[in-house]
Amino acid sequence: MEVTFALCSYPSLHGSPLTDAGLALLNPALALHPALVALDLGDCMLGDEAINLICGLLPPDGAKSGLKELTLSANPGITPKGWSRLAIAVAHSSQVRVLNLDYNPLGDHVAGMLAVAVASSRTLEVLDLEGTGLTNQSAQTLLDMVENYPTALRSLVLAENSISPELQQQICDLLSEGEEEEEEVAGGPGDTQERERAREPAAHQRGSSSWTGPSDPSSQMVLMTSGLGDSLLAETEM
């Protein structure tokens, strides 16, 4: 079992009663893994000590290979102190693309720290904050960040929070506009249309889409990531 886990580039322990002590036992294998790109530690009964270990898997400025996708969903034992340390690590990591923190009691204070991390990160594209106890206060902070500071962010999940649909829609629109502008700069409108047509058959084959339900503003924030792990794994294998 230990050998199989050590060789896996996308380990998932989601739902395991791992605790901080269990992660401490696994940490040496994780830290020495030559091609670890994604780690799912959702609902693993983790606390602040685990965050200290996880931050070690997020080396600053590409010092060595590090995680590109991290899932810490439903770990209510992590305190604001732990989340602040993670936010600092993410801000200085040049590789993290996807961060899933859904169903943690973060609140507006932690969301403010995460906004600073997003603004500092050069690679973070997806941030999942579904069901994390946010209000319009943190949504306004996130809106100001998206509107006034260029970031790599492409998807921000805010469903199941006390945030008005209008604010969610504004954030969604700004993120969409930023992605369209980047595509136009990269290849011009003609090339953008060609890329969109080229992506349609692939998306159809995968059976997934970047957005769900256009009728509900909050549902537009939900990213379907069914193929993301595979794409990151394929990149590592190359």
Side-chain angles (χ1 to χ4, degrees):
M1 177 66 71
E2 293 179 359
V3 173
T4 302
F5 179 80
L7 293 177
C8 178
S9 295
Y10 193 0
S12 174
L13 296 168
H14 198 109
S16 302
L18 190 61
T19 73
D20 291 359
L23 184 60
L25 293 175
L26 290 174
N27 189 63
L30 294 171
L32 294 174
H33 196 295
L36 184 68
V37 293
L39 182 61
D40 187 344
L41 296 173
D43 195 16
C44 285
M45 302 173 63
L46 303 181
D48 289 355
E49 289 302 317
I51 290 294
N52 294 338
L53 298 173
I54 292 168
C55 288
L57 303 175
L58 304 174
D61 298 327
K64 62 178 182 177
S65 178
L67 290 174
K68 295 182 180 178
E69 179 176 351
L70 175 61
T71 297
L72 290 171
S73 312
N75 281 293
I78 301 173
T79 71
K81 180 180 178 180
W83 292 124
S84 66
R85 177 153 190 178
L86 179 68
I88 293 171
V90 170
H92 288 278
S93 171
S94 62
Q95 300 175 60
V96 178
R97 298 180 184 174
V98 179
L99 183 60
N100 299 312
L101 303 180
D102 47 312
Y103 299 107
N104 285 298
L106 303 182
D108 291 333
H109 178 65
V110 174
M113 293 187 291
L114 291 171
V116 175
V118 173
S120 302
S121 173
R122 293 171 293 183
T123 60
L124 188 62
E125 298 178 356
V126 178
L127 178 59
D128 189 345
L129 298 177
E130 180 176 2
T132 51
L134 307 188
T135 69
N136 285 342
Q137 175 183 329
S138 51
Q140 188 63 58
T141 299
L142 293 165
L143 176 62
D144 291 342
M145 176 204 67
V146 173
E147 187 173 19
N148 297 306
Y149 299 94
T151 71
L153 196 65
R154 295 292 172 266
S155 177
L156 180 60
V157 184
L158 296 174
E160 296 190 31
N161 286 296
S162 299
I163 298 174
S164 69
E166 292 78 16
L167 272 175
Q168 292 195 49
Q169 188 63 53
Q170 283 181 274
I171 295 172
C172 177
D173 291 343
L174 285 171
L175 290 175
S176 298
E177 289 174 7
E179 187 171 7
E180 290 172 0
E181 290 174 2
E182 183 176 282
E183 288 179 345
E184 290 178 1
V185 170
D191 290 345
T192 300
Q193 293 175 1
E194 289 298 326
R195 286 195 298 272
E196 290 298 329
R197 284 195 291 268
R199 280 200 292 262
E200 287 177 1
H204 178 72
Q205 292 170 7
R206 290 194 302 268
S208 65
S209 173
S210 296
W211 305 101
T212 62
S215 60
D216 183 358
S218 62
S219 68
Q220 292 182 353
M221 306 304 295
V222 181
L223 179 75
M224 304 297 289
T225 58
S226 58
L228 184 55
D230 294 338
S231 65
L232 294 179
L233 180 56
E235 178 179 328
T236 300
E237 291 174 345
M238 290 175 62

